[in-house]
Amino acid sequence: MSDLNYLCIFFILVLLSTSSLPLLVSSAKCNKDDKKTLLKLKIGFGNPQDLSWNSDTSCCSWNGIICLSDTGRVIFLDISSANLSGTISPAIGDLPLVTQINIQYSPFLTGTIPHSITKLPLTSLTIRFTSLSGHIPTFLGELRKLNTLDLSGNRLTGHIPDSIASLPNLDRLILSNNKLTGRIPQSLFHGLTARNLLDLSDNLLTGDIPDSLGNADLSYIFLSGNNFSGDPSFIFGESKNLTQIDLSRNKFVMNLSTVGFPSYLAMLGLGQNLIYGSIPGSIASLEHLNTLNVSYNRLSGKIPTGGMMSLFDASCYSHNKCLCGNPLPKCRT
Ligand SMILES: *[C@@H]1O[C@H](CO)[C@@H](O)[C@H](O)[C@H]1NC(C)=O
Ligand SMILES: *[C@@H]1O[C@H](CO)[C@@H](O)[C@H](O)[C@H]1NC(C)=O
Ligand SMILES: *[C@@H]1O[C@H](CO)[C@@H](O)[C@H](O)[C@H]1NC(C)=O
Ligand SMILES: *[C@@H]1O[C@H](CO)[C@@H](O)[C@H](O)[C@H]1NC(C)=O
Ligand SMILES: *[C@@H]1O[C@H](CO)[C@@H](O)[C@H](O)[C@H]1NC(C)=O
């Protein structure tokens, strides 16, 4: 190869590296205060080996950290399966631009959520599948911008605080798989704005579900595996935008004959309740229905046919009062 060719390659390399230079600079930049805070958090987490946060490197290059490229300030903390232990250090409140926190799958992480978290402009807080315990802190209601709160799969006890129920922008509330007791606060999702998801499955919640859930424009409602009672028929209705409803394993009492099904319904779980009446024929016109289970109730009458109904086997209808017709034995005439 001639010297000229070498020169050419040299220039191409220089061009390539300068063109990617701004990107490198931004990822190398890391706000010094944020870095200090993250290192404190790491110590609180018991210095886990899986968390390669190292003071020699830019915090914006650490796993689970996303920074603003211009200032190097941390905006997103996403720590999954890092085997954290210890607790969440109160230092977490010293990351003033963090809007999203996602800490999950760390069964050795214990303690509670520190009060200092209320200093952050959070829109999303997820701490799931850890060993967080105690009550859900009332002060989470100070996070006025919060739209997602997911504290599922922890060891939380006590009631769902009113302060959370009335958060104005909350549109996904996921508290499943804890040991929560008491009733759903009356104020939950009050108002008519569009909401997305309520998941309170597998807790020890009791009582009627509040009227406010009849007006909330939800897509998903999961209440299975609690001790809820009363008549939940007001959450149904043909004009509702609900696509998935799971009320199974409770003590709900309703006359299913009177229920209008939301037209986009894809999943309906009603098993193991005290539901009576018959299955309305309109269920066969639900074009999206792919999961249905009404077993272990007090239903009677002929199972509707047509549409998606051929998808469901006998186990979806078993242990009722006197349901009949395909896939169960023929109705006696
Ligand atoms: C996770 O951390 C715990 C507590 O520090 C430790 O006992 C355990 O061995 C760790 N597990 C893995 C897979 O590293
Ligand atoms: C479940 O609710 C019923 C009332 O509907 C109550 O009598 C019973 O004690 C509750 N059971 C539990 C385990 O909370
Ligand atoms: C369903 O969604 C549409 C479009 O977002 C909305 O206009 C309508 O009010 C919703 N229906 C109900 C019953 O909330
Ligand atoms: C359930 O509702 C239907 C329709 O309104 C009614 O005909 C029926 O008698 C009700 N069943 C019971 C057991 O109340
Ligand atoms: C319906 O629920 C019952 C009771 O929980 C269960 O045994 C059955 O397998 C379920 N059927 C389907 C298709 O999931």
Side-chain angles (χ1 to χ4, degrees), residues 46-120:
N47 264 319
Q49 297 204 327
D50 297 359
L51 210 57
S52 62
W53 298 0
N54 179 334
S55 56
D56 300 337
T57 54
S58 159
C59 71
C60 301
S61 69
W62 294 351
N63 52 4
I65 303 299
I66 293 176
C67 296
L68 284 175
S69 57
D70 52 349
T71 58
R73 297 233 63 153
V74 177
I75 53 168
F76 187 12
L77 206 60
D78 181 13
I79 315 172
S80 293
S81 309
N83 199 24
L84 310 180
S85 55
T87 58
I88 303 171
S89 163
I92 202 164
D94 301 327
L95 294 167
L97 269 68
V98 167
T99 56
Q100 294 187 53
I101 293 177
N102 186 7
I103 297 174
Q104 55 182 357
Y105 306 119
S106 275
F108 297 98
L109 183 69
T110 57
T112 56
I113 302 174
H115 190 282
S116 61
I117 209 163
T118 57
K119 291 193 278 178
L120 307 182

Side-chain angles (χ1 to χ4, degrees), residues 293-304:
N293 201 327
V294 298
S295 62
Y296 295 87
N297 278 294
R298 294 175 180 176
L299 294 166
S300 53
K302 187 173 183 304
I303 297 168

Side-chain angles (χ1 to χ4, degrees), residues 189-242:
F189 291 150
H190 189 70
L192 287 167
T193 48
R195 312 286 186 164
N196 180 264
L197 164 66
L198 175 65
D199 185 356
L200 303 177
S201 317
D202 297 302
N203 278 288
L204 304 164
L205 297 164
T206 54
D208 296 2
I209 55 177
D211 296 345
S212 58
L213 292 189
N215 294 326
D217 180 13
L218 283 159
S219 299
Y220 309 93
I221 184 162
F222 302 131
L223 302 175
S224 62
N226 281 283
N227 192 24
F228 288 121
S229 52
D231 182 347
S233 55
F234 63 89
I235 66 168
F236 291 83
E238 279 143 28
S239 65
K240 292 288 176 69
N241 291 313
L242 283 159

